[in-house]
mmCIF file of all heavy atoms in Angstrom:
data_model
loop_
_atom_site.group_PDB
_atom_site.id
_atom_site.type_symbol
_atom_site.label_atom_id
_atom_site.label_comp_id
_atom_site.label_asym_id
_atom_site.label_seq_id
_atom_site.Cartn_x
_atom_site.Cartn_y
_atom_site.Cartn_z
ATOM 1 N N LYS A 1 -5.942 0.334 -5.070
ATOM 2 C CA LYS A 1 -7.019 -0.581 -4.716
ATOM 3 C C LYS A 1 -6.477 -1.668 -3.803
ATOM 4 O O LYS A 1 -5.272 -1.886 -3.715
ATOM 5 C CB LYS A 1 -7.653 -1.182 -5.971
ATOM 6 C CG LYS A 1 -6.678 -1.945 -6.846
ATOM 7 C CD LYS A 1 -7.341 -2.444 -8.126
ATOM 8 C CE LYS A 1 -6.315 -3.202 -8.953
ATOM 9 N NZ LYS A 1 -6.876 -3.707 -10.177
ATOM 10 N N LEU A 2 -7.384 -2.331 -3.130
ATOM 11 C CA LEU A 2 -6.986 -3.337 -2.154
ATOM 12 C C LEU A 2 -6.740 -4.677 -2.850
ATOM 13 O O LEU A 2 -7.595 -5.539 -2.902
ATOM 14 C CB LEU A 2 -8.046 -3.466 -1.061
ATOM 15 C CG LEU A 2 -7.613 -4.201 0.193
ATOM 16 C CD1 LEU A 2 -6.347 -3.578 0.786
ATOM 17 C CD2 LEU A 2 -8.711 -4.187 1.220
ATOM 18 N N THR A 3 -5.546 -4.819 -3.404
ATOM 19 C CA THR A 3 -5.130 -6.058 -4.052
ATOM 20 C C THR A 3 -4.644 -7.038 -2.989
ATOM 21 O O THR A 3 -4.506 -6.680 -1.814
ATOM 22 C CB THR A 3 -3.983 -5.782 -5.032
ATOM 23 O OG1 THR A 3 -2.864 -5.285 -4.283
ATOM 24 C CG2 THR A 3 -4.378 -4.764 -6.104
ATOM 25 N N ILE A 4 -4.365 -8.251 -3.395
ATOM 26 C CA ILE A 4 -3.800 -9.230 -2.461
ATOM 27 C C ILE A 4 -2.471 -8.709 -1.914
ATOM 28 O O ILE A 4 -2.197 -8.820 -0.714
ATOM 29 C CB ILE A 4 -3.637 -10.604 -3.144
ATOM 30 C CG1 ILE A 4 -5.010 -11.225 -3.360
ATOM 31 C CG2 ILE A 4 -2.746 -11.523 -2.312
ATOM 32 C CD1 ILE A 4 -5.015 -12.509 -4.130
ATOM 33 N N THR A 5 -1.659 -8.102 -2.775
ATOM 34 C CA THR A 5 -0.388 -7.542 -2.305
ATOM 35 C C THR A 5 -0.642 -6.470 -1.251
ATOM 36 O O THR A 5 -0.004 -6.464 -0.194
ATOM 37 C CB THR A 5 0.416 -6.949 -3.480
ATOM 38 O OG1 THR A 5 0.716 -7.992 -4.417
ATOM 39 C CG2 THR A 5 1.711 -6.318 -2.995
ATOM 40 N N ASN A 6 -1.578 -5.564 -1.515
ATOM 41 C CA ASN A 6 -1.876 -4.508 -0.551
ATOM 42 C C ASN A 6 -2.413 -5.084 0.756
ATOM 43 O O ASN A 6 -2.037 -4.642 1.838
ATOM 44 C CB ASN A 6 -2.864 -3.497 -1.134
ATOM 45 C CG ASN A 6 -2.245 -2.666 -2.238
ATOM 46 O OD1 ASN A 6 -1.034 -2.598 -2.389
ATOM 47 N ND2 ASN A 6 -3.094 -2.036 -3.029
ATOM 48 N N GLN A 7 -3.299 -6.071 0.672
ATOM 49 C CA GLN A 7 -3.826 -6.719 1.878
ATOM 50 C C GLN A 7 -2.688 -7.322 2.691
ATOM 51 O O GLN A 7 -2.643 -7.190 3.913
ATOM 52 C CB GLN A 7 -4.823 -7.821 1.502
ATOM 53 C CG GLN A 7 -6.134 -7.325 0.954
ATOM 54 C CD GLN A 7 -7.012 -8.480 0.468
ATOM 55 O OE1 GLN A 7 -6.861 -9.625 0.880
ATOM 56 N NE2 GLN A 7 -7.936 -8.180 -0.425
ATOM 57 N N ASN A 8 -1.777 -7.995 1.995
ATOM 58 C CA ASN A 8 -0.663 -8.639 2.685
ATOM 59 C C ASN A 8 0.308 -7.616 3.264
ATOM 60 O O ASN A 8 0.852 -7.824 4.350
ATOM 61 C CB ASN A 8 0.057 -9.608 1.743
ATOM 62 C CG ASN A 8 -0.775 -10.847 1.462
ATOM 63 O OD1 ASN A 8 -1.729 -11.143 2.191
ATOM 64 N ND2 ASN A 8 -0.444 -11.567 0.420
ATOM 65 N N LEU A 9 0.517 -6.498 2.573
ATOM 66 C CA LEU A 9 1.357 -5.431 3.133
ATOM 67 C C LEU A 9 0.752 -4.884 4.426
ATOM 68 O O LEU A 9 1.467 -4.628 5.396
ATOM 69 C CB LEU A 9 1.540 -4.293 2.125
ATOM 70 C CG LEU A 9 2.586 -4.505 1.042
ATOM 71 C CD1 LEU A 9 2.490 -3.396 0.000
ATOM 72 C CD2 LEU A 9 3.976 -4.562 1.642
ATOM 73 N N ILE A 10 -0.562 -4.710 4.436
ATOM 74 C CA ILE A 10 -1.242 -4.241 5.641
ATOM 75 C C ILE A 10 -1.018 -5.223 6.790
ATOM 76 O O ILE A 10 -0.691 -4.829 7.915
ATOM 77 C CB ILE A 10 -2.750 -4.016 5.360
ATOM 78 C CG1 ILE A 10 -2.928 -2.806 4.439
ATOM 79 C CG2 ILE A 10 -3.536 -3.856 6.658
ATOM 80 C CD1 ILE A 10 -4.325 -2.665 3.848
ATOM 81 N N CYS A 11 -1.155 -6.510 6.508
ATOM 82 C CA CYS A 11 -0.939 -7.544 7.531
ATOM 83 C C CYS A 11 0.508 -7.579 8.004
ATOM 84 O O CYS A 11 0.776 -7.683 9.202
ATOM 85 C CB CYS A 11 -1.340 -8.918 7.002
ATOM 86 S SG CYS A 11 -3.109 -9.133 6.784
ATOM 87 N N LEU A 12 1.448 -7.511 7.065
ATOM 88 C CA LEU A 12 2.869 -7.573 7.431
ATOM 89 C C LEU A 12 3.290 -6.345 8.228
ATOM 90 O O LEU A 12 4.052 -6.459 9.195
ATOM 91 C CB LEU A 12 3.730 -7.750 6.182
ATOM 92 C CG LEU A 12 3.613 -9.140 5.550
ATOM 93 C CD1 LEU A 12 4.183 -9.148 4.147
ATOM 94 C CD2 LEU A 12 4.288 -10.189 6.429
ATOM 95 N N MET A 13 2.804 -5.179 7.854
ATOM 96 C CA MET A 13 3.095 -3.982 8.648
ATOM 97 C C MET A 13 2.476 -4.130 10.035
ATOM 98 O O MET A 13 3.096 -3.761 11.041
ATOM 99 C CB MET A 13 2.577 -2.737 7.937
ATOM 100 C CG MET A 13 3.339 -2.374 6.675
ATOM 101 S SD MET A 13 5.008 -1.779 6.973
ATOM 102 C CE MET A 13 4.631 -0.081 7.419
ATOM 103 N N GLY A 14 1.281 -4.697 10.112
ATOM 104 C CA GLY A 14 0.651 -4.948 11.411
ATOM 105 C C GLY A 14 1.456 -5.908 12.263
ATOM 106 O O GLY A 14 1.537 -5.759 13.480
ATOM 107 N N SER A 15 2.097 -6.882 11.613
ATOM 108 C CA SER A 15 2.893 -7.870 12.360
ATOM 109 C C SER A 15 4.115 -7.239 13.024
ATOM 110 O O SER A 15 4.688 -7.815 13.941
ATOM 111 C CB SER A 15 3.324 -9.023 11.439
ATOM 112 O OG SER A 15 4.413 -8.645 10.611
ATOM 113 N N ILE A 16 4.504 -6.043 12.560
ATOM 114 C CA ILE A 16 5.636 -5.351 13.180
ATOM 115 C C ILE A 16 5.165 -4.107 13.946
ATOM 116 O O ILE A 16 5.951 -3.205 14.232
ATOM 117 C CB ILE A 16 6.745 -5.000 12.162
ATOM 118 C CG1 ILE A 16 6.238 -4.061 11.062
ATOM 119 C CG2 ILE A 16 7.352 -6.275 11.580
ATOM 120 C CD1 ILE A 16 7.338 -3.481 10.185
ATOM 121 N N GLY A 17 3.880 -4.084 14.252
ATOM 122 C CA GLY A 17 3.348 -3.019 15.082
ATOM 123 C C GLY A 17 3.098 -1.697 14.379
ATOM 124 O O GLY A 17 3.011 -0.649 15.019
ATOM 125 N N ARG A 18 2.958 -1.724 13.064
ATOM 126 C CA ARG A 18 2.693 -0.499 12.297
ATOM 127 C C ARG A 18 1.311 -0.589 11.671
ATOM 128 O O ARG A 18 0.941 -1.617 11.119
ATOM 129 C CB ARG A 18 3.723 -0.312 11.179
ATOM 130 C CG ARG A 18 5.153 -0.168 11.645
ATOM 131 C CD ARG A 18 5.308 1.105 12.461
ATOM 132 N NE ARG A 18 6.653 1.520 12.708
ATOM 133 C CZ ARG A 18 7.477 0.988 13.593
ATOM 134 N NH1 ARG A 18 7.115 -0.038 14.294
ATOM 135 N NH2 ARG A 18 8.690 1.488 13.773
ATOM 136 N N THR A 19 0.575 0.496 11.761
ATOM 137 C CA THR A 19 -0.758 0.535 11.170
ATOM 138 C C THR A 19 -0.661 1.092 9.759
ATOM 139 O O THR A 19 -0.136 2.182 9.564
ATOM 140 C CB THR A 19 -1.701 1.424 12.004
ATOM 141 O OG1 THR A 19 -1.770 0.873 13.320
ATOM 142 C CG2 THR A 19 -3.087 1.477 11.387
ATOM 143 N N LEU A 20 -1.128 0.331 8.833
ATOM 144 C CA LEU A 20 -1.199 0.760 7.444
ATOM 145 C C LEU A 20 -2.637 0.553 7.006
ATOM 146 O O LEU A 20 -3.176 -0.552 7.109
ATOM 147 C CB LEU A 20 -0.241 -0.068 6.577
ATOM 148 C CG LEU A 20 -0.154 0.289 5.116
ATOM 149 C CD1 LEU A 20 0.382 1.713 4.937
ATOM 150 C CD2 LEU A 20 0.748 -0.699 4.385
ATOM 151 N N ARG A 21 -3.255 1.596 6.560
ATOM 152 C CA ARG A 21 -4.653 1.518 6.135
ATOM 153 C C ARG A 21 -4.711 1.206 4.636
ATOM 154 O O ARG A 21 -3.742 1.409 3.920
ATOM 155 C CB ARG A 21 -5.352 2.829 6.442
ATOM 156 C CG ARG A 21 -5.340 3.156 7.932
ATOM 157 C CD ARG A 21 -6.417 4.154 8.295
ATOM 158 N NE ARG A 21 -6.370 4.534 9.683
ATOM 159 C CZ ARG A 21 -6.723 3.765 10.702
ATOM 160 N NH1 ARG A 21 -7.142 2.547 10.490
ATOM 161 N NH2 ARG A 21 -6.658 4.192 11.940
ATOM 162 N N PRO A 22 -5.866 0.727 4.175
ATOM 163 C CA PRO A 22 -6.015 0.452 2.737
ATOM 164 C C PRO A 22 -5.703 1.704 1.907
ATOM 165 O O PRO A 22 -5.893 2.827 2.382
ATOM 166 C CB PRO A 22 -7.489 0.052 2.612
ATOM 167 C CG PRO A 22 -7.865 -0.463 3.964
ATOM 168 C CD PRO A 22 -7.069 0.372 4.937
ATOM 169 N N PRO A 23 -5.221 1.516 0.680
ATOM 170 C CA PRO A 23 -4.780 2.648 -0.133
ATOM 171 C C PRO A 23 -5.858 3.690 -0.411
ATOM 172 O O PRO A 23 -5.542 4.858 -0.598
ATOM 173 C CB PRO A 23 -4.288 2.006 -1.435
ATOM 174 C CG PRO A 23 -4.621 0.582 -1.363
ATOM 175 C CD PRO A 23 -5.035 0.241 0.022
ATOM 176 N N GLU A 24 -7.119 3.288 -0.424
ATOM 177 C CA GLU A 24 -8.172 4.264 -0.709
ATOM 178 C C GLU A 24 -8.453 5.179 0.491
ATOM 179 O O GLU A 24 -9.114 6.195 0.352
ATOM 180 C CB GLU A 24 -9.458 3.581 -1.178
ATOM 181 C CG GLU A 24 -10.092 2.648 -0.172
ATOM 182 C CD GLU A 24 -9.550 1.224 -0.208
ATOM 183 O OE1 GLU A 24 -8.611 0.940 -0.957
ATOM 184 O OE2 GLU A 24 -10.087 0.386 0.523
ATOM 185 N N GLU A 25 -7.931 4.820 1.668
ATOM 186 C CA GLU A 25 -8.064 5.686 2.847
ATOM 187 C C GLU A 25 -6.869 6.627 2.878
ATOM 188 O O GLU A 25 -5.748 6.208 3.089
ATOM 189 C CB GLU A 25 -8.112 4.853 4.128
ATOM 190 C CG GLU A 25 -9.368 4.018 4.252
ATOM 191 C CD GLU A 25 -9.437 3.291 5.585
ATOM 192 O OE1 GLU A 25 -8.871 3.794 6.577
ATOM 193 O OE2 GLU A 25 -10.041 2.216 5.612
ATOM 194 N N HIS A 26 -7.121 7.881 2.675
ATOM 195 C CA HIS A 26 -6.027 8.842 2.563
ATOM 196 C C HIS A 26 -5.431 9.231 3.904
ATOM 197 O O HIS A 26 -4.312 9.713 3.962
ATOM 198 C CB HIS A 26 -6.495 10.083 1.796
ATOM 199 C CG HIS A 26 -6.944 9.753 0.406
ATOM 200 N ND1 HIS A 26 -6.056 9.400 -0.582
ATOM 201 C CD2 HIS A 26 -8.178 9.666 -0.137
ATOM 202 C CE1 HIS A 26 -6.727 9.129 -1.694
ATOM 203 N NE2 HIS A 26 -8.007 9.285 -1.457
ATOM 204 N N GLU A 27 -6.164 9.033 4.978
ATOM 205 C CA GLU A 27 -5.655 9.378 6.307
ATOM 206 C C GLU A 27 -4.883 8.194 6.872
ATOM 207 O O GLU A 27 -5.458 7.192 7.254
ATOM 208 C CB GLU A 27 -6.809 9.754 7.251
ATOM 209 C CG GLU A 27 -7.567 10.994 6.819
ATOM 210 C CD GLU A 27 -6.701 12.245 6.844
ATOM 211 O OE1 GLU A 27 -5.870 12.392 7.755
ATOM 212 O OE2 GLU A 27 -6.853 13.073 5.924
ATOM 213 N N GLN A 28 -3.574 8.314 6.893
ATOM 214 C CA GLN A 28 -2.713 7.281 7.456
ATOM 215 C C GLN A 28 -2.170 7.789 8.788
ATOM 216 O O GLN A 28 -1.937 8.977 8.955
ATOM 217 C CB GLN A 28 -1.552 6.967 6.503
ATOM 218 C CG GLN A 28 -1.968 6.411 5.159
ATOM 219 C CD GLN A 28 -2.473 4.987 5.215
ATOM 220 O OE1 GLN A 28 -2.148 4.225 6.106
ATOM 221 N NE2 GLN A 28 -3.303 4.626 4.235
ATOM 222 N N GLU A 29 -1.947 6.876 9.736
ATOM 223 C CA GLU A 29 -1.421 7.280 11.031
ATOM 224 C C GLU A 29 0.049 7.682 10.934
ATOM 225 O O GLU A 29 0.523 8.508 11.683
ATOM 226 C CB GLU A 29 -1.609 6.158 12.050
ATOM 227 C CG GLU A 29 -3.085 5.927 12.367
ATOM 228 C CD GLU A 29 -3.302 4.825 13.384
ATOM 229 O OE1 GLU A 29 -2.355 4.480 14.109
ATOM 230 O OE2 GLU A 29 -4.434 4.330 13.447
ATOM 231 N N GLN A 30 0.760 7.049 10.050
ATOM 232 C CA GLN A 30 2.161 7.380 9.836
ATOM 233 C C GLN A 30 2.380 7.527 8.345
ATOM 234 O O GLN A 30 1.570 7.098 7.537
ATOM 235 C CB GLN A 30 3.076 6.298 10.412
ATOM 236 C CG GLN A 30 2.957 6.188 11.915
ATOM 237 C CD GLN A 30 3.911 5.158 12.482
ATOM 238 O OE1 GLN A 30 4.531 4.395 11.767
ATOM 239 N NE2 GLN A 30 4.031 5.145 13.790
ATOM 240 N N HIS A 31 3.490 8.109 7.988
ATOM 241 C CA HIS A 31 3.756 8.355 6.579
ATOM 242 C C HIS A 31 4.644 7.255 5.995
ATOM 243 O O HIS A 31 5.760 7.053 6.455
ATOM 244 C CB HIS A 31 4.428 9.715 6.393
ATOM 245 C CG HIS A 31 3.549 10.838 6.816
ATOM 246 N ND1 HIS A 31 2.516 11.304 6.028
ATOM 247 C CD2 HIS A 31 3.502 11.560 7.944
ATOM 248 C CE1 HIS A 31 1.897 12.265 6.654
ATOM 249 N NE2 HIS A 31 2.471 12.450 7.827
ATOM 250 N N TYR A 32 4.091 6.577 5.011
ATOM 251 C CA TYR A 32 4.834 5.576 4.255
ATOM 252 C C TYR A 32 4.642 5.922 2.790
ATOM 253 O O TYR A 32 3.592 6.402 2.385
ATOM 254 C CB TYR A 32 4.308 4.166 4.543
ATOM 255 C CG TYR A 32 4.357 3.795 6.011
ATOM 256 C CD1 TYR A 32 3.206 3.756 6.777
ATOM 257 C CD2 TYR A 32 5.574 3.511 6.628
ATOM 258 C CE1 TYR A 32 3.252 3.433 8.124
ATOM 259 C CE2 TYR A 32 5.629 3.185 7.966
ATOM 260 C CZ TYR A 32 4.464 3.151 8.709
ATOM 261 O OH TYR A 32 4.526 2.836 10.038
ATOM 262 N N PHE A 33 5.657 5.657 2.000
ATOM 263 C CA PHE A 33 5.610 5.965 0.579
ATOM 264 C C PHE A 33 5.838 4.674 -0.181
ATOM 265 O O PHE A 33 6.820 3.973 0.060
ATOM 266 C CB PHE A 33 6.702 6.990 0.231
ATOM 267 C CG PHE A 33 6.681 7.405 -1.210
ATOM 268 C CD1 PHE A 33 5.836 8.419 -1.644
ATOM 269 C CD2 PHE A 33 7.506 6.787 -2.134
ATOM 270 C CE1 PHE A 33 5.805 8.798 -2.982
ATOM 271 C CE2 PHE A 33 7.493 7.164 -3.467
ATOM 272 C CZ PHE A 33 6.636 8.174 -3.888
ATOM 273 N N PHE A 34 4.927 4.346 -1.072
ATOM 274 C CA PHE A 34 5.032 3.124 -1.863
ATOM 275 C C PHE A 34 5.158 3.479 -3.330
ATOM 276 O O PHE A 34 4.475 4.375 -3.818
ATOM 277 C CB PHE A 34 3.788 2.242 -1.659
ATOM 278 C CG PHE A 34 3.669 1.700 -0.272
ATOM 279 C CD1 PHE A 34 3.050 2.433 0.725
ATOM 280 C CD2 PHE A 34 4.197 0.464 0.044
ATOM 281 C CE1 PHE A 34 2.941 1.940 2.014
ATOM 282 C CE2 PHE A 34 4.094 -0.040 1.331
ATOM 283 C CZ PHE A 34 3.467 0.699 2.319
ATOM 284 N N THR A 35 6.014 2.755 -4.028
ATOM 285 C CA THR A 35 6.171 2.961 -5.459
ATOM 286 C C THR A 35 6.661 1.664 -6.081
ATOM 287 O O THR A 35 7.110 0.758 -5.391
ATOM 288 C CB THR A 35 7.163 4.113 -5.750
ATOM 289 O OG1 THR A 35 7.134 4.404 -7.140
ATOM 290 C CG2 THR A 35 8.580 3.749 -5.341
ATOM 291 N N ASN A 36 6.577 1.588 -7.374
ATOM 292 C CA ASN A 36 7.176 0.485 -8.113
ATOM 293 C C ASN A 36 8.546 0.930 -8.591
ATOM 294 O O ASN A 36 8.765 2.114 -8.841
ATOM 295 C CB ASN A 36 6.312 0.109 -9.323
ATOM 296 C CG ASN A 36 5.068 -0.633 -8.912
ATOM 297 O OD1 ASN A 36 5.123 -1.520 -8.073
ATOM 298 N ND2 ASN A 36 3.939 -0.257 -9.480
ATOM 299 N N THR A 37 9.463 -0.010 -8.735
ATOM 300 C CA THR A 37 10.775 0.356 -9.264
ATOM 301 C C THR A 37 10.732 0.541 -10.770
ATOM 302 O O THR A 37 11.607 1.173 -11.334
ATOM 303 C CB THR A 37 11.864 -0.671 -8.877
ATOM 304 O OG1 THR A 37 11.471 -1.964 -9.311
ATOM 305 C CG2 THR A 37 12.094 -0.670 -7.376
ATOM 306 N N ALA A 38 9.717 -0.013 -11.407
ATOM 307 C CA ALA A 38 9.453 0.293 -12.816
ATOM 308 C C ALA A 38 8.246 1.215 -12.805
ATOM 309 O O ALA A 38 7.131 0.797 -12.519
ATOM 310 C CB ALA A 38 9.174 -0.958 -13.627
ATOM 311 N N LEU A 39 8.469 2.467 -13.093
ATOM 312 C CA LEU A 39 7.427 3.469 -12.950
ATOM 313 C C LEU A 39 6.497 3.534 -14.162
ATOM 314 O O LEU A 39 5.533 4.281 -14.158
ATOM 315 C CB LEU A 39 8.065 4.837 -12.693
ATOM 316 C CG LEU A 39 9.021 4.854 -11.494
ATOM 317 C CD1 LEU A 39 9.783 6.170 -11.441
ATOM 318 C CD2 LEU A 39 8.282 4.612 -10.209
ATOM 319 N N CYS A 40 6.807 2.756 -15.179
ATOM 320 C CA CYS A 40 6.018 2.768 -16.416
ATOM 321 C C CYS A 40 4.659 2.116 -16.205
ATOM 322 O O CYS A 40 4.505 1.209 -15.406
ATOM 323 C CB CYS A 40 6.747 1.992 -17.510
ATOM 324 S SG CYS A 40 8.484 2.410 -17.673
ATOM 325 N N MET A 41 3.690 2.562 -16.964
ATOM 326 C CA MET A 41 2.354 1.970 -16.908
ATOM 327 C C MET A 41 2.321 0.720 -17.781
ATOM 328 O O MET A 41 2.945 0.677 -18.834
ATOM 329 C CB MET A 41 1.319 2.962 -17.430
ATOM 330 C CG MET A 41 1.173 4.214 -16.620
ATOM 331 S SD MET A 41 0.296 3.951 -15.089
ATOM 332 C CE MET A 41 -1.315 3.508 -15.679
ATOM 333 N N ARG A 42 1.566 -0.256 -17.348
ATOM 334 C CA ARG A 42 1.362 -1.462 -18.155
ATOM 335 C C ARG A 42 0.243 -1.210 -19.159
ATOM 336 O O ARG A 42 -0.707 -0.518 -18.851
ATOM 337 C CB ARG A 42 0.949 -2.633 -17.272
ATOM 338 C CG ARG A 42 2.004 -3.076 -16.334
ATOM 339 C CD ARG A 42 1.406 -4.132 -15.420
ATOM 340 N NE ARG A 42 2.306 -4.358 -14.318
ATOM 341 C CZ ARG A 42 2.931 -5.498 -14.116
ATOM 342 N NH1 ARG A 42 2.726 -6.514 -14.897
ATOM 343 N NH2 ARG A 42 3.747 -5.630 -13.102
ATOM 344 N N ARG A 43 0.372 -1.788 -20.308
ATOM 345 C CA ARG A 43 -0.690 -1.667 -21.309
ATOM 346 C C ARG A 43 -1.762 -2.725 -21.103
ATOM 347 O O ARG A 43 -2.886 -2.556 -21.502
ATOM 348 C CB ARG A 43 -0.111 -1.796 -22.710
ATOM 349 C CG ARG A 43 0.722 -0.593 -23.059
ATOM 350 C CD ARG A 43 1.261 -0.735 -24.459
ATOM 351 N NE ARG A 43 2.146 0.395 -24.694
ATOM 352 C CZ ARG A 43 2.273 0.990 -25.844
ATOM 353 N NH1 ARG A 43 1.609 0.569 -26.875
ATOM 354 N NH2 ARG A 43 3.081 1.995 -25.969
ATOM 355 N N SER A 44 -1.405 -3.820 -20.457
ATOM 356 C CA SER A 44 -2.387 -4.885 -20.232
ATOM 357 C C SER A 44 -3.106 -4.639 -18.913
ATOM 358 O O SER A 44 -2.730 -3.783 -18.128
ATOM 359 C CB SER A 44 -1.685 -6.244 -20.193
ATOM 360 O OG SER A 44 -0.940 -6.372 -18.998
ATOM 361 N N ASN A 45 -4.139 -5.413 -18.683
ATOM 362 C CA ASN A 45 -4.874 -5.319 -17.425
ATOM 363 C C ASN A 45 -4.267 -6.175 -16.335
ATOM 364 O O ASN A 45 -4.773 -6.234 -15.235
ATOM 365 C CB ASN A 45 -6.342 -5.730 -17.640
ATOM 366 C CG ASN A 45 -7.085 -4.712 -18.468
ATOM 367 O OD1 ASN A 45 -6.773 -3.532 -18.425
ATOM 368 N ND2 ASN A 45 -8.060 -5.180 -19.229
#
């Protein structure tokens, strides 16, 4: 989902000339892979 972090990542990638679309758009112009270093799910919201 388009969180503040995701919005800011889109802006920061844009600042270096890279197009990053919102996560719900599956068609990306280039391939980037995002993950958390803690892969576990949170129990809280």
Side-chain angles (χ1 to χ4, degrees):
K1 59 184 180 180
L2 195 55
T3 63
I4 289 175
T5 299
N6 291 343
Q7 289 174 22
N8 288 343
L9 280 171
I10 290 167
C11 290
L12 289 165
M13 290 290 280
S15 78
I16 61 169
R18 299 295 194 283
T19 300
L20 182 63
R21 300 200 183 288
E24 62 273 4
E25 292 185 28
H26 299 288
E27 296 296 322
Q28 298 288 336
E29 293 180 19
Q30 296 183 350
H31 297 282
Y32 302 106
F33 182 85
F34 294 86
T35 188
N36 286 316
T37 56
L39 305 171
C40 313
M41 296 285 295
R42 294 174 193 245
R43 290 181 185 215
S44 72
N45 291 330

